[in-house]
Amino acid sequence: AVWAFFWAVKNDQFEDLEGPAHRILFDEDENDLTAEEREKRRQAARRKPSEKDDNGPAKR
């Protein structure tokens, strides 16, 4: 047990004890994404409204 404790400390197993507990509260945190992934999401969000207009119900 003592060896396992020192191994865990040496391998940074106790570095962030609260992070995982807080992370589960947020579905998709923008801060966890890379800059490229954030830009892709912004572009996709901009395209969604126009796609909805184009695929709307047909006029009778």
Side-chain angles (χ1 to χ4, degrees):
V2 174
W3 173 83
F5 172 76
F6 283 111
W7 176 86
V9 171
K10 182 179 177 182
N11 290 297
D12 297 324
Q13 298 296 312
F14 298 109
E15 186 173 301
D16 183 15
L17 297 176
E18 295 180 10
H22 292 271
R23 207 170 300 130
I24 64 168
L25 299 174
F26 303 102
D27 289 334
E28 296 176 1
D29 192 5
E30 289 273 331
N31 295 328
D32 291 338
L33 301 174
T34 64
E36 294 148 351
E37 290 173 331
R38 275 182 263 167
E39 186 58 32
K40 285 180 186 178
R41 281 196 180 182
R42 286 187 192 119
Q43 290 175 356
R46 289 182 197 137
R47 279 184 291 210
K48 283 184 182 179
S50 63
E51 289 174 1
K52 287 180 184 175
D53 294 339
D54 294 340
N55 296 330
K59 293 182 180 179
R60 291 182 188 188

